[in-house]
Every structure is written in structure tokens, then in C-alpha cells.
Amino acid sequence: MAKKQWSVLFLSLILVVLMGCKQSKKKQPVQNQDKSSNITYATGFTVEHQGDITVIEVTGAWPGSDSFKYALVPKEKLPAISLPRDAYDAIIGTPVEKVVLTSTTHIQPLLQLDELNTVVGFPNTDYISTPEARKLVKSGQIQNLGMNDRLNTEMVLALNPELIVGFSINNENKAYDIIKKAGTPVVYNGDWVEHTPLGKAEWIKFFAPFFEKEALGDSIFASVESSYQKAKEIAQNALSQPTVLTGGLYKDVWYVAGGKSWMAQFLEDANADYLWTDNTETGSIGLSLESVLEKAQDAEFWFNPSAETTYTGLAEANPHHQQFDAFKNKKVYSNAIDKGETGGLIFYELAPHRPDLVLRDLIKILHPELLPEYELQFIKPLP
């Protein structure tokens, strides 16, 4: 299960009714009292306030996607507000009380906002690792809805959620089309497309308005941002910049993190010498084993060697792995070692929302003298 999940996530990375108004029953036009979005690092969405309306525009649901615009309206004010439905991809009453999630990266924001109890469904619940969410799976509150690209639409519609938070790598998801035609809004989330650590974490501000908890979302992110910046400052005190190799073989192609990717940004902030830092790709780069050996055989550290989580497994997967100095010197580290009780990878679920801890992991590994008391959270040495 863990390797299957890793493969799905890895391929994806290459390429994330209502109460009437007591004052008047007459529909009122929207008042345009705009307030600019307070998004600093994320590039894939904006949040703006127009009177009683909160408008979320998702511009990066997947690479090259169209923009999607969603209008959020307090439920008690919906009957009194007139909105042009053709101007929005969905109009949603808030606070949302029943939601279906489709990516493990959606779990933590709702937990942090204390809204995990609103989740009623998820595709392949074995991927969920967060203990609080696993309890809801076991109790039957979070229903297993099949696979993301083949959602059991009958089950979804029977649950009658107010919202589906959708994950997609393109606009070809027949299940989402069926769900939308049945009248259930699908709101796309593109946190996985962001290529900076704080950009991914800032997507908690995407979730917060659906529950009318924007102040809490802002506070949670501000705490993570402050912690990340403090860790970055600590890294600047390092006396050396160790050389680093990333990634590993997948079907005879070695994928390393691009020089402008999420991982590359972490390594820069951890004061490492990433060997592909001059590359301009924001995703992964497919290379031959020979070219990687030529460039990185002497690298001091090697992070995230594909799905392999032991030195024995690395050697058996390809004997050439043993030629790397990092292998010989036992300086290979993986984010796939810690798993949830049903095999889900904890890193992919939690790390995007705690980049400060990921950065501290890297600093501890690369410059252990800077964080002598710190214990690794996500990235662990291969046994």
C-alpha cells in the first residue's frame, strides 16, 4: 500500500435550504466594498471580500489550469443577496458543515481549524494517517469513496455534502462532472502546485473562509511563518554547505528535484549546496543514472531515494546505488520511513503544512551542531 501510494503521489508531483433575511425578503445587489487578498507566498489562489461576499479565485488548480471563482456567502444572508450565477463556478453558504475531501493534504488544515468533524467522505481512506482522522474513519463518519479519479458518485451524492474539495492533475475527471451536474459544488484546491514551502502552507487561508474562521487561519499560518523564518536564520550560522543529491530511480529514470522546486527551496534555506540549484524547473527533472553518477557521486548527503527506505533495498533495487559516497558513508535520508497505521505516508499529509519542521529536520541533518536538542520529525536516516 505504501509503495502504491508513493507511486501515485510521485507521478502527480512530476508533471495539489437556508434561513431567510428577517429585515427584507427582497433580493439585494452585492455591495462592492473590496478588500484586497492578504496572501503573501501562495501563487495559486486569492481571497477577497466584497461586502458580505468572500470571493476565492483559484488560478493554479493544476499546471496550466483555467481560473475558478467561488462566492462564499453567510447562510443567513443568502436569501437576501443576488449574485450572477454565471460569474462564479460555485456559490456556497458558510459555514460549511458537511464536506468531502480528496487529498491527504486537505486533512491537516481542517484539523488545525477544528473542523475535522465536518468531513464525511474521502477516496481510499487507507491513505489517511492523522490519528484524529483515523478515529473518524473507524467510527464510520468518514466514508471510503473509492479512488479520486473514480469516485463512487452514488455514495458521494447519498452523503449530501455541501462541498467537495477537489484534487486533480487536469480537467478530465468524469466523477467531478457528474457531481457538479447533480448540484454539489466541487471547489478545486491546488496546494500541491505551489513550489515554495510557505506557499504550500499558506493554503490554510483557502480553507478557513469556508468555515468563517479566517482570523484563525491567519494566526495559524503566521505562527508557522515565524517559526520557519527563525529556522532559516539559524541555518545561516552554518560553517559549511554540504553537497546534496535528491531523488532516485523510477522505471530507469532518475528524478531529481528541480532547482526552483519545493525541495530545492528547503535546501537553500537550510544552507546546503544543492547540485541542481542552477536548474530552473519547479518540478522534477528526469535524468539517466549515468548522468546523476557523473554529477553527484561525491555528494555528501542524499535525500528521498524513491520508494526505498533501507540500504539493503537500495542495493537490491540497483547495485549502482552503492557507488554513491552518501550510500557508502550512510548519509541517505528518506521522508517515506514513517507511515500511518494503514500505510499512508505521514510526510505527504503533514509536512506541507509544517514546513518549519521540515526545515529544522534538514538543518539538524546537514548542520547538527546548530540544533543539538532537536529530534527529527519527518526526514529520517535509512536503517
Side-chain angles (χ1 to χ4, degrees):
M1 178 60 67
K3 285 194 175 183
K4 180 180 178 183
Q5 181 196 18
W6 184 92
S7 297
V8 172
L9 289 165
F10 188 70
L11 288 171
S12 296
L13 289 172
I14 294 173
L15 303 163
V16 188
V17 182
L18 304 167
M19 295 175 60
C21 177
K22 295 182 180 179
Q23 294 180 344
S24 173
K25 294 183 179 179
K26 184 178 179 181
K27 295 280 187 176
Q28 300 296 324
V30 177
Q31 297 180 1
N32 290 320
Q33 300 172 357
D34 294 356
K35 180 180 178 182
S36 298
S37 178
N38 108 6
I39 308 303
T40 305
Y41 302 91
T43 61
F45 77 104
T46 59
V47 180
E48 295 187 356
H49 299 283
Q50 301 174 2
D52 291 325
I53 314 304
T54 299
V55 177
I56 297 179
E57 184 170 7
V58 177
T59 57
W62 56 81
S65 71
D66 293 332
S67 294
F68 300 92
K69 188 175 288 189
Y70 310 106
L72 279 58
V73 185
K75 288 178 177 178
E76 71 274 11
K77 295 184 178 181
L78 260 176
I81 291 179
S82 177
L83 288 173
R85 292 191 173 272
D86 59 351
Y88 302 99
D89 291 280
I91 298 172
I92 300 152
T94 61
V96 170
E97 298 172 74
K98 291 178 69 177
V99 61
V100 167
L101 306 180
T102 56
S103 170
T104 55
T105 62
H106 304 162
I107 298 290
Q108 279 297 315
L110 266 65
L111 175 63
Q112 293 172 13
L113 293 168
D114 196 25
E115 294 292 343
L116 199 58
N117 62 311
T118 63
V119 183
V120 296
F122 190 89
N124 200 331
T125 52
D126 281 350
Y127 288 167
I128 296 175
S129 299
T130 298
E132 294 88 343
R134 289 235 51 85
K135 289 180 182 178
L136 297 179
V137 172
K138 291 178 180 179
S139 72
Q141 177 174 323
I142 298 180
Q143 295 288 306
N144 191 333
L145 302 177
M147 297 298 292
N148 186 45
D149 57 347
R150 296 187 299 277
L151 280 177
N152 186 321
T153 54
E154 291 184 2
M155 286 188 66
V156 172
L157 296 176
L159 289 171
N160 194 30
E162 298 171 73
L163 177 68
I164 312 290
V165 180
F167 160 82
S168 188
I169 61 173
N170 55 43
N171 62 354
E172 299 177 3
N173 190 311
K174 293 181 180 179
Y176 288 171
D177 293 338
I178 293 171
I179 291 167
K180 285 188 284 188
K181 287 178 182 178
T184 300
V186 176
V187 173
Y188 288 108
N189 174 284
D191 54 7
W192 67 281
V193 183
E194 299 288 342
H195 54 265
T196 65
L198 291 174
K200 287 182 184 288
E202 197 166 22
W203 276 77
I204 194 169
K205 296 181 183 179
F206 163 89
F207 288 95
F210 291 98
F211 304 98
E212 298 184 351
K213 290 187 173 181
E214 289 183 71
L216 178 58
D218 290 348
S219 175
I220 291 168
F221 176 73
S223 176
V224 171
E225 178 189 21
S226 175
S227 178
Y228 188 95
Q229 298 295 359
K230 289 177 182 176
K232 183 178 176 180
E233 290 174 7
I234 290 171
Q236 300 314 302
N237 295 318
L239 300 179
S240 64
Q241 285 188 320
T243 51
V244 171
L245 161 68
T246 64
L249 287 169
Y250 183 80
K251 295 183 178 179
D252 297 325
V253 178
W254 191 302
Y255 292 97
V256 303
K260 301 300 179 183
S261 66
W262 186 50
M263 185 62 179
Q265 185 65 61
F266 272 126
L267 292 170
E268 179 181 335
D269 292 345
N271 208 350
D273 178 10
Y274 181 45
L275 296 176
W276 280 269
T277 191
D278 292 334
N279 177 272
T280 59
E281 293 293 327
T282 58
S284 298
I285 316 162
L287 301 170
S288 68
L289 170 62
E290 292 75 17
S291 65
V292 175
L293 261 173
E294 181 180 358
K295 189 179 184 73
Q297 184 171 1
D298 298 333
E300 297 170 73
F301 291 88
W302 177 5
F303 290 105
N304 307 329
S306 298
E308 303 301 334
T309 56
T310 66
Y311 286 101
T312 300
L314 266 182
E316 291 177 349
N318 192 308
H320 292 293
H321 286 148
Q322 299 173 84
Q323 295 178 244
F324 290 93
D325 283 359
F327 184 102
K328 297 175 184 177
N329 298 325
K330 297 294 186 290
K331 291 187 176 182
V332 184
Y333 293 78
S334 174
N335 59 20
I337 291 175
D338 286 347
K339 301 178 178 65
E341 63 179 85
T342 52
L345 298 182
I346 293 173
F347 180 86
Y348 289 111
E349 187 164 325
L350 181 56
H353 307 287
R354 291 304 307 269
D356 54 323
L357 299 182
V358 178
L359 182 56
R360 280 175 163 76
D361 277 0
L362 292 169
I363 295 170
K364 175 68 174 184
I365 293 165
L366 298 166
H367 315 289
E369 72 282 358
L370 297 181
L371 293 173
E373 304 300 324
Y374 180 79
E375 295 184 4
L376 298 176
Q377 300 295 308
F378 301 119
I379 304 173
K380 307 290 181 66
L382 266 59

